[in-house]
Every structure is written in structure tokens, then in C-alpha cells.
Amino acid sequence: MLIGILILALFLQNNPFATDAAPEYVVKQYTIADGLPLNAVQRMVQAKDGFLYITTYDGLVRYDGYEFTTMNMLNAPGLSTNRLRSIGIDSDGIIWVASPYGNVSAFDGFTFTNHDQTSLTDLPHFSGSDEIAHQIDRLGTKKGAILPFMQDFDLRVSGNTVYFDSVSVSINGQFVIENQELRGGFEDHEGTIWIFTRNNGMFQIKESKVRNFNGSDDFRFRNTYSIVQKSPQELLVQGFPRFTLNIDLETSAVENLFFFDEANHDAQYLFVNPVDQTVYASTESFPLFELKSNRWVQADWLDSLEFLPQTIVTGMYKTSDHILFVGSTDGLIVRKDGAVFRIEDKTGQQINRARAFLSLPDGSLLIGTNGNGLFRVNTSDWSYKRYVTDDGIASNFVRDIHSTSNDTIWLATQDRGLNRIVFNPEGEIVETISVGTSDGLLNHGLHRIIADPHGYLWVNSNGGIMRFSEQNLNAFANRETSQLLILKLTDEQGLRNNEGNGGVSNSGTLLDNGLIVFPNQVGLVIINPDEFLNIGADNLSQPVIDRVSFNDQSLQAGLFESIALPLGERDFRVSFTLPNFRNPDMITFSYQLEGLQRTWRRPVSGRTAVFTNVPPGEYLLRVRVTGPDGTPVFASMPVVVPPFFYETIWFYLLCGFLFLGALAFIHRYRTEQLRLKELRTRSLLELQTCYVIRTDLAGNYTYANPKFLETFGFLYKKDEGGPIPYSGINCMSSIHSEDQPKVVETIAELMQNPGKVIQVDMRKPLEDGSYAYTLWDFSIIFKPNGKPGEVQCVGIDYTDRKKQERLLKESEHKLQRTIESVPHPLVIIGEDLEIEFVNEEFERVIGYTEEEILHTDVTKLLPDADSKARARRLWSYLRASSRAKKVPGFITVKTKSGGELSVFLSLNHFIAGDKKLSILILQDVTELKMRQDVILKQNKTLRDIAWHQSHVVRRPVANILGVVDLIQNYPEETLSQQAELLDMLKETTRELDEIVKDLVRKSNESEFAEDASDDSLKSG
């Protein structure tokens, strides 16, 4: 949306460092690139609900501070034309628009109604004394919305005089818009000035609470870094390139304190000793300099220490007990009671690149470094503790430290946003919380934290300046609230450049008069925190729930008292807004669907809530808009998601009754099944079709049914005709020795899983010396106390099935040998034409191996030119017959090498399991086809000869016969006439001779073709 922002310091003699400095203004232009349908804006008004309405020759446009919405004949039924010019609002809030051609429409915020001009004179807002279009324009003027078109006039805004004419706008005599074809303008409810033009869109002029300062015409500066207040009247500023400034805070006059003949482009850092007001500066060439009598001299109290080449000072700090700390790239230097020394641990490890300092109530000192983490120094014995990312801090690059309480601090980091750290009494980190761009920060690169007297923290960053309520920030870190309130200052609010500067501890300061000064890429930014105390609090009206969308439909929510979705629709979107033109980026939208969501949620993008798979029910959609001070305003609308019949309470009750009935039925059914099971168990013991035995846990028989004894009782029989004494005998004696280990493993598994039934197949000896193949179900029979008592085995004899399986395997083996013996290529395919099997002859003739051809489409064997047609032909043959069939004619088959063979195709069908398969036998008839082609060609030649004989030869023969007849029947002809007849006879005879020669030649060609064919077949 942002085309360009012009920040105007309208009062050049104004001192920006004064608490009562006059404001600057931000001028912002909107064109078709921002959403306007045309750059030619006709009129503008503001409705009672806060929306701006703009007439263009492409429809009526609504603007809410975020996006333009165009209503025209395509999307707004009732609008009779898109070419709209005049606009006004009556006392009832109805918007009237008119075209240059007399079309008049009324808009109530949702729908358009067309009006005949003659009927408008009966309304109290109109009369018959003037054109309706002019009356509509004046209607807007009466409501204080639109200013007279193309006239010069003054307007008082915030105590300033704003002057308009047809080409320019000025405020207190300073031009803010020039050389434009202006059509008019007005002041909205928030005090913003709007100017609309003939061909350059429209302009917004709003007051900025941010002040920018980069010197005067005598001396301009840009990139600033260190800022320190030397005295109530003096501000020292250091930056690039080549300046160290002394700014008079009462007059804003700038003096450059040059280094060494104006060569101070190396200046890095400034510090003022609060005790003696000594000014220190560091460079890339020398450790530290002092300003004495406006001259820079090297600090001689550092001479006792040796420094590495190119050592620079990175920070300085003086404690309340007058201990001076100097951070550098060559360690942390301490100056106390005249002594100068470095802090080192027992291993000689130093604290390098210290740049942020904070004194703690226990007398220790926290030090943030550039890449080396955070240090806690005990000033009594100079021992220290180091914290790095492995210990919980978010980043090793610490740029500033702010204390919230005795045990809690906030770090401003170079690359990880804000980081809150909580210590225990022993100085160990017990909690760390990070706040980054995903939580709403403008940028993760922070420079400075400055606390104002009102409980707010001001943070400069690479993306602009942010203000946090310290109470809200800690509540957010404690998870006591999900809403982080951030007031954001960017170029939209008046910054000339969003990128702040830092890297040193004094990259920003709180002046004695309460103003905050931050450095950035184009100078200084000055903020008066008092002016931001109530920003946005009195400008928030009620949010507007705008549109409801589902599937391809989009409805205006304002036309309905509630949102009732169609039956079966569970996904929908709701868009909402709140007109705000002064600070649209400073308010936060959130929503909650009561009855479904327990917490407030932020829109993923824009101002739209997205709901998916919402259960049926009645809900309340609540929209909350929060200003930068935390003041919320709300809007709500009921939402009804209708249920299907099977989702209603009556359906659930019915299902409940059916469920209870089903439970009763199941109970009765299971009781009956248990009774029947007991009966079956009793009958099973005596069953003559199954073997039933029981053994104790040692494997000794306790029971065997008659069927078992009839078959295997011979193993235990002693007396002929007497009872079989099986009881107490171990069951292993009736099991083949190779199957006995399986039985032992099964019993062991049953003891581990007593409720399990395990199936075991085993061989048992028969009386004739052979073995019976049997299949048994093993299970545990429990004692009344619930412990395993016996093993029950129920078995069947499947010897006959085993024999059938063996015969089937032998049959399959014979079939395989039969197929392999076929002397021609053989292919088996399925109904989907996929190849299931090929024989060895196929591999030899066609060239594909089983691995290459199996499970591919049979059309792979057909030539590419006509594979589809031949596949359809083959498919028709497969479907046309269920019996063996020989396909008429030749089929061309493509080999792996790319050659082609002519084959006779024989096919047959058979069923394998549930699959229908087809056998294709490919008989190579390539030689036969070549001979057939030769015969066909000879036949054609003979037909040509016969044709010549019947047609061409007949003509000269007829001529000869005619001449002979003349000679015989007319002997009286003269000699000359007879000579002429003889010439004719000679010519005709010659013609007949040529015809006979031609016939002989064609006959010879046919014989040659046959010989060539024979030769090619032999060579092949």
C-alpha cells in the first residue's frame, strides 16, 4: 500500500529537543498500486461508522485504513452506473451518490437503491431549487465531511492552519503538497487530513509524534551511534563518517569536535564520566582518548597496560562507588583508587568485548559482550561466572541489559530478540524466556532498552522502535496473558529510516527533561514518552464483522442478526475490520468462537478468522481489537452450524435406547451361546468325527474319546476284546518323533498364555505301519481355583487332503513339463493383458528373459505403429471365445532386438483360482508368409498377362485378320493399294511382336522374384 512517505519538519526554527516541540507531519500517497480502481478521485466523505467512501468513475470505494474495497455494477446489485462523482451523507447516515448523467443511488452500507430525481424532491434532504448532484455535494458539506470543490479555504487542525487551493496544501505557511491538480479534501474523525486529486490518487496528511533531527543547513549528519548527555545543555553524539558532535539542547546548534585535523572517521565510542564530566572516545587506532580544552589527548592512565594492536574500546561504565570499567577487544580493564588492571580468571581467561553493564543490588556486576555471552563479576574479589547459550541465554551477542527485579533481567540481543533470565540466589539461571518476531517484534536485531517514568520500555531495533509495557511484557513471559502489547514506530509513524544503530551500551539515552534519543541511519530520533500515553485509546470504535464466506459464497454479515451456515457446511471464514487511519498498525485483532475455543486467537493473515470442521451447535463469534495501551473493544455475532439428523439429541437418545436394547440382546445371546457351548463340549467328547483327548500337565492321558481309541488304541491294547488301558500313559508314544518337539514348545507357550488356542499338525502311527496326518487344537482346561489343570486337544485327520495336495503338486509339475515341451513360443496372460508366464522357446525366439517380460503388458510385443489397434483386436479375440481358437491371418510380433516376426496365434483359456488366464502359442510363420507374398505377386502378374491377352493382343490380331480379309476378298485392287495393305499388315505384325515381348518380360520378372524369395529364405 505504501507508495511513499514524506516526513516534514514544518517548523525549522523549532527545537526538537524541547518537550513542547511542534509536531512533524507524515504525507502518504495512495494510487491504483495500493488498491484504488482509478487515480482520478472525484469526491470523498467519511460515514458515521468511520469508513471512508470515495467516488470514482469505476465505482464507489470503501477504505478502512487497511485495504480498498470497490463496489461496482459487477458486485453491487442496484448500482445503475460505475461513473460516480457526487457524494453526501444525510442525517440518517444514508450515503447518496450521483453520476454526471443524473443517476442517483442511495447506499445504506450494504445495498444500493436507485432513485428517480423527480421523486427525491419529496425527501427532506433535497429541494427542487438546484441540481440534485450539487445538493448531494452540499449535503456532504453540511455534515462537515467534504470541503467545497476547487475553492481556496483554511482549516484548523490541532491548532495549526491548513490552507488549500487547487494546486497545493500548506500548513502554517509551509508547503506539504505542491504542483498537484487538487479537487478537494477534508478532516476525518481522527484529525487526519485527506486530499483527493484529479490524476494522482489521494494524499493523507497526519501528525507524527516522532521527531527527526540530522542537524541544520550549516552541518548535516547521518549515521549516529553513541549518544551521551554531558550536561543539561549538552548532548554528545558520535557517528560515521567523520564526526563527534556537541549539540546544544536549548538551541539545537551543532558543533563538531574534530579528531586530529578533522580525521575522526575512526571514532567508535563516546563516554562521559558522571563524576568529573570527562569525555572519553575510542578509535580503531588507539585505545582511549580524553577531551581536554577541546583537544583530544591519549588517556595516560592506561600506559601501565600493554594492548594488542588495533585494540578498541567497546564500552565503559562507572559504578556508584566510583569504579570505572572499560570493555575492550583486549580484556576488561578496571580503574579503582588509582590502580589499573585487567580482570582474569586463574587460567588467564579474560572478558573480551564487554559493551553492556548493569549493577545488581548485591554489589555484583552483569556484563554483556559481543559474542562471548554474559558475565557476572564479583567486585569484591574479581571472580566471575560466565553464561552462554548452552547455559540458557538466547544469544552470546548481548547489546543491553535491563533489570526488572533483584533476580530477573531482560537482555536485548543482536540476533535473538528479547531474552528474560531469572536467577536463583546462587546466581544460577533457573528460567529463560525468549520473545522474538513470531511474538510481534519488528526485528530480532535489538540495540538499546530505555525505561521511561511511566512503566514502559523503549527498544530500538533494525526494524523500527518499539514500546512495551513492562508489566505486560513480564505477564506475557509468565504465560499469564497471550497478548503482547507493542507500540511500533516505523516510517508509517514518522521515522525517516527504520533501521536503528547500536553495538555500544550508550546507543540511546534518556535526557534529563524526559525525552528519549535513539541513533539511526539518518540521524537522531527524539521521542517524548508523555505524548504516547493515550495514543489510540480514544480512537477505537466498535469492530465491524464484515463478511462471511464458505465454498464460493460470500455474504455481508451486517445484513443478518446471526450467521446461519447451510446444512452440511462446516468450514467458513469471517472477515472483520475497524476503521483506523492514524495508527492502523498499532492495533491488534483477535477472535474467539465461544463454545468451541477457550482462548483468543490471532488471525493467521490479515483480519480473517478461518474455521474448519466445526461441530454442529450454536456459538458466539467474538472479535476483540486492542489498542497499543491495551484498551480492548469488542463485537460479537451468533453462529449456528446446523446438525444432520444423526447429530441431533433425539437421534442420540434413540441410539441410546437401541444401544441398551442391543446390550440386553447381547447378554441373552451370550448366555444362550454359553449354554450351547457347554452342550457342544459335552457332545464333542463323544464325537465320532474328531479326536478328543485330555492330558495332565505332565502329558499323561486322563481322557480319550471313542474315535481316538478306535484309531490309535492298538498302541495301548493288551487283551483282545477288553478295555484299552490308556489312562496314565504318556501321550508322546503316539506322536512321530520328529513332531514331538513341536508339541513340547506348544505346551510351554500355552503355559505362558493360558487363554490361547494353538494349532499343531503332527503325524501319528497307524496299525498298518503308515502314518496319519492330523491337525490339533491345543488349549488349557482350568481348575475351579483358576489355575491350569489339564491340556485338551481336539484333532482331525487330513491324510486324504495331504494325498490330494501331493497329487496336485505332481500334476502341476507335469503341466510345467508339458508347457516347456511346446516347440513354439508360449505366453500366459491375464484378463488385463499382463504377461504371467513365458516358456524357454519364447526366450529363445523373441529374446526377452522372464525377468524382463513378466508382469508387463502383452502389447510390448506388438509393433509401435499399430500396437493399440492390434491390442484391441487381441482383446476382442480373448473376449469373443471361451474355447480354444486359432486367430485367422498373420500376427506381427516385435522381438527384443527390434525385428519383426509373422506368427500364427493360437489361444485357449483356463481358470486358475479366481483368475481367468489365456494361453497364447506363437507359431513362427515368417517364411510361409514370405512365400505367400511371392505367390500373390505372381498371381497379380498372371492376371496382368491375361488382361493383355484379352485386350491388348486382340487389337493387332483383329487388324491382321482385317487386312488378310481385304487381300482375299478384293483381288482386283491395284498394286499400290495392295502394297499399302501389306505395309499395314507388317506394322500390325510388328506391334504384336512388341506385345509378346512385353508379356515374356513380365513373366521373367515374376520368376526372378520367386527365385530371390527362395534365396532370402535359405540365407535366413
Side-chain angles (χ1 to χ4, degrees):
M1 178 180 292
L2 182 62
I3 294 297
I5 290 183
L6 173 65
I7 301 171
L8 301 167
L10 300 181
F11 305 90
L12 300 182
Q13 293 78 24
N14 178 59
N15 178 15
F17 299 98
T19 57
D20 57 351
E24 298 178 0
Y25 284 84
V26 177
V27 179
K28 184 176 180 180
Q29 183 181 14
Y30 299 88
T31 65
I32 58 174
D34 307 300
L36 279 173
L38 297 173
N39 283 334
V41 177
Q42 303 299 321
R43 307 283 195 277
M44 295 173 63
V45 296
Q46 186 174 27
K48 291 182 178 181
D49 57 9
F51 290 102
L52 294 183
Y53 287 92
I54 306 158
T55 54
T56 72
Y57 278 177
D58 197 21
L60 181 66
V61 183
R62 190 190 77 172
Y63 184 55
D64 60 358
Y66 300 96
E67 61 182 345
F68 293 91
T69 302
T70 301
M71 293 165 281
N72 52 38
M73 296 174 65
L74 293 177
N75 58 20
L79 191 62
S80 61
T81 179
N82 290 341
R83 297 179 69 81
L84 303 177
R85 176 185 291 170
S86 300
I87 187 170
I89 304 177
D90 64 24
S91 57
D92 297 324
I94 301 298
I95 300 172
W96 294 86
V97 293
S99 74
Y101 315 112
N103 306 81
V104 178
S105 297
F107 181 62
D108 62 1
F110 305 105
T111 58
F112 287 89
T113 303
N114 288 321
H115 289 273
D116 186 356
Q117 291 196 28
T118 58
S119 64
L120 294 178
T121 56
D122 298 332
L123 298 178
H125 312 298
F126 303 102
S127 65
S129 60
D130 198 357
E131 290 186 15
I132 293 297
H134 294 167
Q135 294 183 57
I136 289 176
D137 282 336
R138 287 197 301 272
L139 185 65
T141 304
K142 291 176 184 177
K143 300 304 165 188
I146 193 168
L147 297 175
F149 176 59
M150 297 297 291
Q151 295 181 12
D152 298 347
F153 50 85
D154 292 340
L155 181 68
R156 299 290 294 177
V157 179
S158 301
N160 300 306
T161 300
V162 183
Y163 176 79
F164 299 80
D165 58 29
S166 62
V167 295
S168 63
V169 178
S170 62
I171 301 179
N172 291 351
Q174 180 72 33
F175 285 105
V176 295
I177 297 177
E178 294 184 273
N179 301 320
Q180 300 286 341
E181 293 186 69
L182 307 183
R183 279 184 160 155
F186 67 94
E187 179 187 9
D188 65 22
H189 302 164
E190 301 173 14
T192 295
I193 301 171
W194 295 91
I195 306 297
F196 48 96
T197 71
R198 182 181 298 275
N199 52 24
N200 281 322
M202 61 188 196
F203 292 87
Q204 180 188 21
I205 306 173
K206 62 181 180 180
E207 180 182 309
S208 170
K209 297 183 181 300
V210 175
R211 310 171 196 173
N212 298 273
F213 182 70
N214 64 343
S216 61
D217 293 337
D218 295 334
F219 182 81
R220 294 288 181 187
F221 57 90
R222 293 183 61 80
N223 240 329
T224 56
Y225 283 84
S226 290
I227 303 174
V228 292
Q229 186 174 8
K230 181 181 179 183
S231 68
Q233 292 79 33
E234 294 177 285
L235 182 71
L236 298 180
V237 179
Q238 175 273 323
F240 300 108
R242 301 169 58 88
F243 66 81
T244 302
L245 308 177
N246 187 356
I247 300 176
D248 190 322
L249 295 176
E250 294 184 351
T251 64
S252 68
V254 178
E255 177 189 6
N256 195 356
L257 306 175
F258 290 105
F259 258 134
F260 307 115
D261 299 327
E262 304 184 5
N264 65 322
H265 56 279
D266 295 321
Q268 293 285 324
Y269 178 76
L270 285 174
F271 178 75
V272 176
N273 190 328
V275 178
D276 57 11
Q277 296 299 300
T278 301
V279 179
Y280 295 95
S282 67
T283 72
E284 293 180 353
S285 302
F286 298 95
L288 196 64
F289 286 84
E290 299 177 2
L291 182 64
K292 293 183 177 181
S293 301
N294 286 335
R295 290 181 56 83
W296 294 100
V297 297
Q298 187 171 350
D300 53 8
W301 51 270
L302 290 173
D303 293 343
S304 60
L305 300 177
E306 294 184 359
F307 292 93
L308 296 173
Q310 304 299 319
T311 297
I312 61 173
V313 173
T314 56
M316 296 183 70
Y317 181 75
K318 186 133 185 153
T319 64
S320 58
D321 51 357
H322 307 301
I323 302 176
L324 181 63
F325 292 86
V326 181
S328 75
T329 54
D330 193 17
L332 179 63
I333 303 162
V334 180
R335 185 183 187 189
K336 180 181 179 182
D337 300 331
V340 180
F341 55 91
R342 284 189 180 90
I343 296 179
E344 298 179 350
D345 63 10
K346 295 179 181 180
T347 64
Q349 182 70 36
Q350 299 178 354
I351 302 175
N352 289 328
R353 298 184 177 276
R355 59 180 177 183
F357 302 86
L358 176 68
S359 294
L360 297 178
D362 61 1
S364 60
L365 182 67
L366 280 177
I367 300 175
T369 69
N370 183 17
N372 294 313
L374 182 70
F375 291 83
R376 188 182 189 124
V377 178
N378 187 335
T379 55
S380 61
D381 59 3
W382 306 114
S383 62
Y384 62 81
K385 181 178 179 61
R386 184 186 181 195
Y387 311 93
V388 293
T389 53
D390 290 342
D391 302 307
I393 67 173
S395 172
N396 290 331
F397 296 86
V398 180
R399 285 189 166 177
D400 205 0
I401 310 172
H402 170 76
S403 174
T404 291
S405 63
N406 291 341
D407 61 355
T408 304
I409 63 170
W410 283 94
L411 303 180
T413 70
Q414 177 176 308
D415 53 359
R416 290 293 186 271
L418 287 170
N419 181 204
R420 192 182 76 167
I421 297 176
V422 180
F423 298 99
N424 63 14
E426 289 73 32
E428 298 173 339
I429 296 177
V430 295
E431 183 185 62
T432 176
I433 300 293
S434 294
V435 179
T437 52
S438 60
D439 301 305
L441 267 62
L442 289 171
N443 195 279
H444 56 253
L446 310 182
H447 303 300
R448 185 81 162 94
I449 304 174
I450 296 178
D452 70 15
H454 310 295
Y456 291 101
L457 301 180
W458 295 82
V459 179
N460 196 16
S461 77
N462 284 333
I465 298 171
M466 296 170 282
R467 187 196 72 175
F468 302 87
S469 164
E470 188 168 3
Q471 180 180 1
N472 171 258
L473 181 60
N474 282 292
F476 181 79
N478 293 333
R479 304 294 190 267
E480 297 170 0
T481 179
S482 60
Q483 193 168 25
L484 181 60
L485 304 175
I486 309 176
L487 185 147
K488 303 174 183 179
L489 302 180
T490 63
D491 51 6
E492 288 276 358
Q493 285 72 43
L495 293 183
R496 290 181 181 170
N497 190 290
N498 290 338
E499 184 179 352
N501 284 335
V504 292
S505 59
N506 51 17
S507 57
T509 187
L510 177 67
L511 299 182
D512 294 344
N513 61 2
L515 300 185
I516 295 175
V517 184
F518 282 123
N520 74 5
Q521 294 283 307
V522 294
L524 301 175
V525 178
I526 302 113
I527 296 171
N528 186 350
D530 296 346
E531 296 180 356
F532 290 87
L533 289 179
N534 297 314
I535 185 169
D538 55 350
N539 290 327
L540 295 183
S541 57
Q542 186 180 25
V544 177
I545 299 177
D546 198 18
R547 302 195 72 85
V548 181
S549 303
F550 46 85
N551 282 334
D552 296 329
Q553 299 185 43
S554 180
L555 305 176
Q556 290 184 318
L559 293 174
F560 308 95
E561 294 182 358
S562 64
I563 302 172
L565 299 182
L567 181 63
E569 189 60 59
R570 303 296 169 85
D571 302 338
F572 62 99
R573 304 179 304 279
V574 180
S575 60
F576 37 79
T577 187
L578 188 149
N580 189 293
F581 308 106
R582 180 179 289 274
N583 300 299
D585 297 330
M586 292 188 183
I587 62 177
T588 303
F589 290 86
S590 54
Y591 65 90
Q592 180 187 26
L593 191 61
E594 285 190 357
L596 181 67
Q597 300 168 334
R598 295 184 178 181
T599 59
W600 290 93
R601 302 190 179 188
R602 295 279 296 275
V604 176
S605 62
R607 295 162 306 285
T608 300
V610 179
F611 303 96
T612 58
N613 199 25
V614 179
E618 296 183 0
Y619 307 94
L620 181 66
L621 174 65
R622 302 186 67 206
V623 177
R624 180 180 68 184
V625 178
T626 307
D629 59 348
T631 304
V633 290
F634 300 90
S636 62
M637 175 172 277
V639 177
V640 179
V641 181
F644 290 106
F645 76 94
Y646 53 79
E647 296 174 313
T648 61
I649 186 63
W650 302 110
F651 181 80
Y652 293 148
L653 290 175
L654 176 62
C655 290
F657 287 127
L658 292 176
F659 178 72
L660 292 176
L663 287 178
F665 173 79
I666 291 172
H667 175 71
R668 293 185 61 183
Y669 176 78
R670 293 195 63 183
T671 302
E672 180 66 15
Q673 291 298 309
L674 290 174
R675 186 183 69 83
L676 294 175
K677 182 178 180 180
E678 183 179 356
L679 292 175
R680 285 195 299 270
T681 302
R682 290 177 182 175
S683 62
L684 186 64
L685 295 176
E686 305 299 328
L687 195 62
Q688 295 302 308
T689 58
C690 295
Y691 306 126
V692 181
I693 64 170
R694 287 184 181 178
T695 71
D696 58 21
L697 299 183
N700 300 318
Y701 289 111
T702 61
Y703 171 81
N705 74 338
K707 175 69 175 176
F708 180 85
L709 295 176
E710 178 185 345
T711 306
F712 306 107
F714 74 92
L715 295 170
Y716 319 109
K717 196 171 184 179
K718 293 183 179 180
D719 300 327
E720 189 69 29
I724 302 175
Y726 62 85
S727 180
I729 299 176
N730 195 278
C731 65
M732 288 295 184
S733 60
S734 66
I735 301 174
H736 193 287
S737 59
E738 293 180 359
D739 296 332
Q740 291 178 7
K742 291 193 294 184
V743 176
V744 175
E745 293 174 2
T746 300
I747 299 300
E749 186 176 353
L750 280 175
M751 298 305 294
Q752 295 293 328
N753 303 279
K756 194 174 182 181
V757 176
I758 302 177
Q759 200 169 72
V760 182
D761 64 281
M762 65 182 76
R763 289 163 290 176
K764 283 184 171 292
L766 295 175
E767 198 167 2
D768 61 1
S770 62
Y771 282 89
Y773 290 88
T774 59
L775 186 65
W776 298 81
D777 287 336
F778 281 61
S779 60
I780 294 292
I781 302 297
F782 294 93
K783 296 178 180 180
N785 61 5
K787 294 183 178 180
E790 293 181 323
V791 178
Q792 177 174 286
C793 306
V794 180
I796 60 171
D797 189 330
Y798 71 99
T799 304
D800 291 341
R801 190 179 72 184
K802 194 75 174 179
K803 292 179 180 178
Q804 293 297 326
E805 289 177 354
R806 185 172 64 254
L807 292 174
L808 180 61
K809 288 184 178 179
E810 292 176 357
S811 176
E812 289 178 352
H813 182 64
K814 290 179 181 179
L815 177 61
Q816 179 75 18
R817 291 203 306 268
T818 301
I819 290 175
E820 291 294 347
S821 65
V822 174
H824 304 294
L826 183 144
V827 182
I828 298 179
I829 63 174
E831 287 188 285
D832 56 358
L833 301 185
E834 187 175 287
I835 298 176
E836 303 284 345
F837 173 82
V838 295
N839 64 354
E840 293 182 357
E841 187 67 13
F842 177 91
E843 297 182 14
R844 187 187 68 78
V845 175
I846 306 301
Y848 290 104
T849 64
E850 283 190 357
E851 292 77 9
E852 295 172 334
I853 199 66
L854 289 187
H855 306 299
T856 62
D857 197 286
V858 72
T859 56
K860 183 175 182 179
L861 303 177
L862 302 178
D864 296 336
D866 55 354
S867 60
K868 292 185 178 179
R870 293 180 182 271
R872 288 195 298 269
R873 180 182 173 193
L874 179 59
W875 179 248
S876 65
Y877 285 137
L878 292 175
R879 293 180 60 87
S881 175
S882 60
R883 296 177 297 175
K885 183 174 183 178
K886 193 167 185 178
V887 177
F890 298 104
I891 297 291
T892 302
V893 176
K894 182 175 63 176
T895 65
K896 178 181 179 181
S897 61
E900 294 184 355
L901 297 177
S902 296
V903 299
F904 279 143
L905 175 63
S906 300
L907 58 89
N908 202 349
H909 309 288
F910 66 97
I911 302 297
D914 58 348
K915 297 174 62 176
K916 180 181 178 183
L917 301 176
S918 300
I919 298 178
L920 280 65
I921 299 178
L922 311 176
Q923 182 180 357
D924 187 358
V925 292
T926 304
E927 298 179 1
L928 178 61
K929 186 175 183 303
M930 293 180 65
R931 291 184 180 276
Q932 179 178 322
D933 291 342
V934 171
I935 293 172
L936 292 175
K937 185 174 181 182
Q938 288 176 340
N939 289 341
K940 182 177 182 304
T941 302
L942 293 176
R943 285 196 300 271
D944 290 344
I945 293 172
W947 187 87
H948 277 77
Q949 288 176 340
S950 62
H951 294 80
V952 180
V953 175
R954 181 179 298 172
R955 178 171 51 81
V957 170
N959 290 338
I960 292 172
L961 291 175
V963 173
V964 171
D965 181 69
L966 288 174
I967 296 173
Q968 290 177 346
N969 295 324
Y970 299 96
E972 68 278 5
E973 294 289 343
T974 62
L975 291 176
S976 62
Q977 290 175 332
Q978 289 180 355
E980 184 178 351
L981 290 175
L982 290 175
D983 289 339
M984 291 176 59
L985 179 61
K986 181 180 180 181
E987 178 63 27
T988 303
T989 303
R990 186 191 60 79
E991 182 181 356
L992 178 61
D993 181 61
E994 290 296 328
I995 292 173
V996 171
K997 288 180 180 179
D998 183 58
L999 291 175
V1000 172
R1001 179 181 57 79
K1002 289 183 177 180
S1003 176
N1004 290 337
E1005 288 178 355
S1006 175
E1007 292 177 0
F1008 176 76
E1010 181 180 4
D1011 295 340
S1013 173
D1014 291 340
D1015 294 341
S1016 64
L1017 291 173
K1018 291 175 183 178
S1019 62

